[in-house]
Amino acid sequence: MKQDHPGVFHRLRQLFMKFVNPILRCPYVLIAPAVLLAITFSIIPTLMSIRNSFYKVDYVFHVDTFVGLNNYKTIFHDPTFLLVFKNTLIFTGVTVIFAIPLAVLVAIFLNKNTAIHNFTQSVVFTPHIISWVSIAALWMFLMDPQFGILNAVLTALGFDPLDWMLSEKTSLLSIIIVSIWKSLGYNVLIVTSGLQNIPQDIYESAKLDRSNWFRTFFKITVPMLSPTFVFLVTTTIIGTFSTYDLIKLMTQGGPRNSSNLLVYWIYETGYLQFNVGKAMAGGVILLLFIGTVSVANFTLMNKRAHYQ
Amino acid sequence: MKKFLAMILVLCLVLAGCSGTEEEAPESEISESSSEAEAPAETEQVEIVFWNVFADDSDTGVFLADAATKFMADNPDIKVTIVGQGGYDDIVERLEAAAASKSLPTMAIIEETFLGRFYPLTVDLSQYLDPAVVENYQDGLMVSCYYDGVLRAVPFNRSMPNLYVNKTLFDNAGITEIPDTWDEVYTTAEALTDPEKGVYGFGVCWDTDAWIYESILYSFGGEIVSEDNKTILLNQDSTAADILTKFQDEADAGVFFNPYIYQDNVWSTIGSAFLDGKVAMFLGSNGVYSMYKGWMADAGYEMEIYPHPGFENGIATGAGNIVMFADATEEQRAAAAKFIEYLATDDVAGAYTVLTGYLPTTETCVNQADLAAFIEANPDYVNAISQMQYAHRRPLTSAWKSIYTALTDEIAYCMTYTDTDAAASITTVSEQAQVLLNDATALAAG
Amino acid sequence: MKRIEERKKKLTPKHVIFLILEAIVILLLLIAYIFPMFYMISTSLKTMREVNVSPPTLWPEVLQWKNYAEAWQKMNFFHYFKNSVFISVMTIVGQLFVCVPCAYALAKKQFVGRKFFHTLVLFDLIVPSQIIFLSIYLIESKINWINTYQGLIVPFIYSAFSIFFLIQTFKTLPDDVLDAAKLDKCSEIQIIGSIILPMAKPTIITTVMFTFVYKWNDYFWTSILTTDDAVRTLPLAIQNLMPVGNAANEWHTIMAGNLMLFAPMFLLYLLANKSIKQMFVYGGIK
């Protein structure tokens, strides 16, 4: 770095150090691009969305009037919105209740370092890095009531075939299945890493204490995994509340809004029905939910980071 | 690692260079909305942008592009840029975005009912079009071109449902009378149904905006909305529900082919079934007449179209009208008007009908050489033309898209699960629709 | 010694049950995850007729390799592939220029308003993109960035997520090396380039791969911010295979296209298996 460079290059470098470098050294310059982009593409849109939720906005009829809480009143009386909100809560609840214990179960069984175990874990993780487009196309095909393999298997086993995405009774279930299938690998990975962070000596002392498997599991493993659980629960909730791609690609809200979820509803209302104000009211509700969970997640993550 | 990264960067920049031109083209076309002089030309050229709903490489897309080229040859002072915007739904999305960003094109094709949504942005065409041209358009097709008494749209590619008949299957079953009332349709369909051969007498799909259902409803004397577009009339009596119930029953009886029990796209399901000789009659748009006639002939079937059952009570028209947007300058409006008049000339309008089967938009083009020959060769096409005068007004409200989305959802579900209570479905939709209509009325007022 | 043998004997019956359960679980998982892939491959090699039979068959009669050629052509694969590569890479490059300096300043420098800017920059972590998409769409409409490369790249070269992780890692880097460099009259660029980046290499690689996977697979933003094919990426290529108007679902072509769609990601996964998994863990707990 301190070598003597001949002539022009040396002069350029001197000029650089004298004029350009101090600018770069200034922290405000370093953070400027990020801050500008954050304001333009994150802060301003959020403020716009919140603002629009209190207005009636229409670009064709040139309407931009303040309506206060009107949009919120409308959506809470709108049967479609209420149904969509209910669907989202059910979707979240079922996913959390099934996906996380399932992930723990699978993680425990796969927690060995053999070829088969590693291979299985890799295979299970694959859907997580694949685009929703491929997943949706695949599952629409598997779930086709006439030509899909799922119904063929069901009938072969002696069960009645299901209508999957065609029926309003099973469309939400279909979505849940696909969603859990895709996320299992990621959840298993997180639990595995959580398991591996548990110091082995605790297990050793448990064995010395002649503790049986159930006691070990519930008195040691589960408590030690609690940060992992918290993380998984918050991430799952944020994920399920944000689900859009799957709905857009597979059911478009499903027969009679039976598989319509909050984010897709916002898209439908704002983008397809041109009712921006109403859509944003729903958006603010979503923001409150996800925002709260995100903040909780974030604070807890920070705490743990400090803890360690 | 660094070398690898550097290689990737170089690769990207090269690719960027290749794709640079692609990227620029759509931008410049869409953002043009003010008249600019074309540099090399000696005279000032007026640029107009025309958004349409056809794929660039489709028959209709190519036809339009050719028409534009010929027009520009005769009018060197006008530059027409044709931009394909996907389909009827896509173009609505893009027009909404264009309205928000103030980058509307000069003119666009919209599905006729969308005049109810976009009329505040459109131009009074009677100020720019030759009255003789306006007079020449088919009366039936002009029904939904006026909003509040002002002419805001003109027909371009319009269609109506017709009864598509597989003549070969009729002949095989020894049936010579083509049904022209709905009761006759039911009995004829029953006679034609042959479960052993997998043949159904009749089939229909409501289409994505429910216009086929709407048309059937009109033909039974029913209504969707009031004339002032403020009141929903779907549930004023049991007509709407009865139609559904009857179709459900016929589907259960195996007489009507029911595309709604398949996960696949309903239009393609019923289309394929018809082309396979599995459905003897279906009600569909005459805009696919030429295409289907060819395909049926290839498959060895004789196909003809017949009048929509119950047409005297009024039936729906569908597909595209042209509107002009008020953001255009006076020069652009004049230029666009010239192009519209060109598209309405006998040669162009006649050739378009021959190519597709879309209705002849003007009265005089029916006598145009190609079209006259076409009609002579396909005498059943007269059944499409003679229906036009029975066109029923369509709902012209900005809430129509939301309403037909809810309606299509319900009536499709009624056919997927034929034990669904049709009356309850119609009531649900009507209630939702009235709320939406009220919103639209408020929007239009303030 | 005796104790261990005793324990082994005691554990055997339970051990066996556990092993059986383990085997069942592994088998079920393999079926649940490998079978769909297998079925996708077998469908991609069938003819149209073979696909539309009920009950469905497991393996085609004759392998229809031409489905791939058909899918490639219909999908216009190369066009989208090009766009995907360009957009993903430029996003990563952009992030290196925007997020790294920002994280460096926020982690290592003291200045007025540091906490404020820290919060501002990370605010995006709390805001789900699903709310602001409409507003971003309107903003981009107004500045005519719809259907452009910059429209798909620029908003994403700022990533609160990346900045967050970079800050965490940069904070752990020892200050004395940086002080020594400053005394040595190193330029800021040299400090960032030759000292910070190499020391934080694992995080940088993690962030890069994370961004890459995210951008490559992104369907949501690309579908919102584009209305025609000019700059669209691979995930939207599948739409070209889906039926238009009256055409039927051609599952064989769609599956062929699907396989081509995730082949790049799959290859990457095979090559960098451990790092990818590690990156998600890193992104998770720590």
Side-chain angles (χ1 to χ4, degrees), chain C residues 232-260:
Chain C
R232 279 188 165 169
T233 53
L234 275 177
L236 280 98
I238 280 284
Q239 293 200 345
N240 279 0
L241 291 176
M242 294 300 203
V244 177
N246 289 348
N249 266 348
E250 296 179 18
W251 284 120
H252 56 304
T253 338
I254 295 176
M255 288 302 135
N258 218 7
L259 279 165
M260 292 197 297

Side-chain angles (χ1 to χ4, degrees), chain B residues 221-264:
Chain B
E223 294 291 341
I224 300 236
V225 294
S226 58
E227 229 177 307
D228 58 4
N229 292 303
K230 289 188 181 161
T231 319
I232 199 82
L233 296 178
L234 198 58
N235 56 344
Q236 64 175 345
D237 56 29
S238 66
T239 317
D242 288 343
I243 296 171
L244 275 178
T245 315
K246 181 65 179 170
F247 276 56
Q248 283 175 321
D249 293 340
E250 294 283 356
D252 283 339
V255 175
F256 279 16
F257 177 78
N258 187 358
Y260 288 96
I261 57 176
Y262 300 92
Q263 185 174 284
D264 211 341

Side-chain angles (χ1 to χ4, degrees), chain C residues 178-198:
Chain C
L178 295 170
D179 292 335
K182 281 189 203 146
L183 283 173
D184 264 354
K185 301 228 177 200
C186 284
S187 76
E188 208 69 359
I189 298 183
Q190 276 174 315
I191 294 182
I192 297 182
S194 318
I195 302 179
I196 304 262
L197 286 185

Side-chain angles (χ1 to χ4, degrees), chain A residues 230-243:
Chain A
V230 170
F231 177 77
L232 271 186
V233 169
T234 51
T235 322
T236 307
I237 294 180
I238 295 173
T240 53
F241 261 85
S242 310
T243 309

Side-chain angles (χ1 to χ4, degrees), chain B residues 41 75 93 120 126 134 191 270 330 380 385 405 408 412 414 417:
Chain B
N75 295 277
E93 270 180 43
S126 61
V134 176
I270 192 164
E330 282 299 319
D380 58 321
I385 300 178
T405 309
T408 315
C414 281
Y417 293 96

Side-chain angles (χ1 to χ4, degrees), chain B residues 21 25 38 92 95-96 118 136 172 207 231 234 256 264 269 341 350 363 370 377 384 397 426 436-437:
Chain B
T21 43
E38 269 284 301
V92 168
L95 286 172
E96 292 280 339
F118 291 111
N136 196 19
N172 292 350
D207 214 344
T231 319
L234 198 58
F256 279 16
D264 211 341
T269 308
E341 285 167 7
E363 282 160 26
D370 296 328
T397 161
I426 294 294
L436 292 164
L437 275 180

